[in-house]
Amino acid sequence: MRNLERRYRTLLKVLPKWYRRDREEEMVGIFLAERNDDLDLEHSWPGWGETFAVLGLAVRTHLAAGAALTGVPGKVVWRGEVVRALGMIGLLLGLFYGVAAIVNLAVAYGNPAFAPGITWWWLLELGPIVAFAALLSGRRTLAKIAAAAPVVLALGSLGQPQYMLLWGVFQLPSIVTFVCLCLGFHREAPTPPVRRLVWWGGGAMVLGLLGGFATGAGLLAVGLITVIVRVVAFVRGDVVLGRAVSLFAVLQLVPLVFLVVAGSEILVPAAGLALLLVLTAVAPVRRPSAQGFRV
C-alpha cells in the first residue's frame, strides 16, 4: 500500500463503520484515479477540498436522517433525531430570551438609569427569533448564521469583564443550540414540523414577555415546562424527545445554579426546580414504538 492510499484510508476513518464497509474501496479508488505518479503516491496528501467533503459526509452519516442513505442503523437515525430535537428546543429557549430582551429594552428606553447600558450588542439577542423563522421556512444556512448571534454576544463579553460570567452562564444553551443546528440540520435532514413548532414558538414568546417583566419568573417557568414535557415524553414513550429534553434540563441547571449561588430573591423556587431538573436529566426513558420529534 502506497503512502497516499494509506492517508486516504486514515481520513475515511472519520466515517462510521457501517458506511465504510460498503463504500471505502469505491471511495479510495475514486480518490486515487489518475494519480499514477510514483512521487505523488509516496509524498502527497489528500487535498483540502477532499478533506472537507469527507468531514461533511461524516456529519451526515453519523447524524443520518435516513432520507438519502440506505442501510442506516436505527441508533444512527435516533442519534440524529435527538440532536435535531435538542437544537429546536434550544431555539425555543432563544425565542424566550429574545422576547425578554425586547421587553427589557422597551422598559429601559427613556429611563436615564438604564439607557447608558443599552448597546448594539443587545440586538444579537434577537438572532434566535430570526433563526427560528428561517429554519421553519427551509432557509437552513440563514438559520445557522442567525443562531450564531448569541454566541457572538458571549464572545463579545470577553471585552466586558463585568458581564462575562453572567452572559457566559445564560448563553451556554445558545452555544449548544448553534452546534446542534450546524450538525443536525444538514442538507439531507428532514424539515421540522412547522405547524406544531409555530404553537410552541408562540408559547415561548409569551413566556418571554413574562420573563421580561419579572426577572427570574420566566426562567422558572421554562424549567417547569421542561419537567412537564419530559414527563409527557416518558408517558408517550418518545425516546427522542425524552433524551433531548434530558440534555436540555442539564443546560437549564447552569443558570438556575447561578441564581441559587447569587442569592436571588427566588432562591427557594430555583433550588427546588434545580432538584427537579436533576431528576429529569437522570430519569429513564421508555423505549418508543415509533421515533420522532413529537411535541
Side-chain angles (χ1 to χ4, degrees):
M1 183 184 300
R2 309 300 289 269
N3 285 337
L4 181 58
E5 179 181 350
R6 185 178 297 107
R7 289 161 184 159
Y8 273 121
R9 291 186 183 277
T10 300
L11 174 62
L12 292 179
K13 288 183 179 179
V14 300
L15 300 172
K17 291 182 179 180
W18 63 268
Y19 191 86
R20 295 202 316 270
R21 185 169 51 248
D22 297 330
R23 307 288 180 85
E24 182 173 355
E25 297 302 325
E26 176 186 356
M27 295 179 71
V28 171
I30 293 174
F31 286 142
L32 294 176
E34 300 181 359
R35 301 188 70 167
N36 301 318
D37 184 82
D38 288 337
L39 187 63
D40 183 30
L41 291 174
E42 286 297 327
H43 301 286
S44 293
W45 290 79
W48 288 110
E50 295 169 330
T51 300
F52 287 128
V54 172
L55 292 178
L57 178 61
V59 172
R60 297 195 299 274
T61 49
H62 280 291
L63 301 176
L69 298 171
T70 57
V72 182
K75 65 179 182 180
V76 177
V77 179
W78 176 87
R79 185 190 305 134
E81 289 298 319
V82 169
V83 170
R84 282 182 282 277
L86 182 58
M88 291 306 308
I89 294 172
L91 275 186
L92 293 174
L93 180 65
L95 289 181
F96 162 75
Y97 281 134
V99 173
I102 293 175
V103 174
N104 286 330
L105 286 176
V107 172
Y109 183 78
N111 188 337
F114 295 96
I118 300 177
T119 66
W120 66 272
W121 286 98
W122 285 60
L123 296 177
L124 296 178
E125 291 276 13
L126 307 182
I129 299 177
V130 178
F132 185 78
L135 188 59
L136 293 190
S137 63
R139 300 178 180 179
R140 303 186 180 192
T141 301
L142 175 60
K144 295 171 185 177
I145 294 174
V151 179
V152 175
L153 181 63
L155 294 177
S157 68
L158 297 177
Q160 304 182 53
Q162 66 274 26
Y163 297 118
M164 183 169 59
L165 179 60
L166 180 62
W167 282 353
V169 166
F170 284 91
Q171 295 301 337
L172 179 61
S174 299
I175 297 173
V176 174
T177 297
F178 172 68
V179 173
C180 288
L181 291 179
C182 290
L183 294 178
F185 285 97
H186 48 76
R187 64 190 181 190
E188 296 170 2
T191 302
V194 178
R195 180 176 299 179
R196 294 174 181 173
L197 287 172
V198 166
W199 283 101
W200 281 88
M205 296 177 75
V206 171
L207 286 177
L209 290 173
L210 174 63
F213 285 110
T215 303
L219 186 61
L220 292 178
V222 171
L224 184 58
I225 291 175
T226 300
V227 175
I228 294 173
V229 173
R230 179 64 170 80
V231 172
V232 172
F234 178 82
V235 172
R236 296 175 61 184
D238 192 337
V239 67
V240 170
L241 181 59
R243 292 300 186 194
V245 173
S246 294
L247 294 172
F248 184 67
V250 175
L251 296 178
Q252 284 297 289
L253 279 170
V254 179
L256 280 175
V257 170
F258 180 86
L259 291 176
V260 173
V261 174
S264 170
E265 65 275 6
I266 56 172
L267 173 61
V268 174
L273 183 57
L275 178 59
L276 286 177
L277 288 175
V278 170
L279 296 176
T280 296
V282 301
V285 179
R286 183 186 302 171
R287 280 288 172 181
S289 57
Q291 297 179 350
F293 181 40
R294 301 177 298 175
V295 293

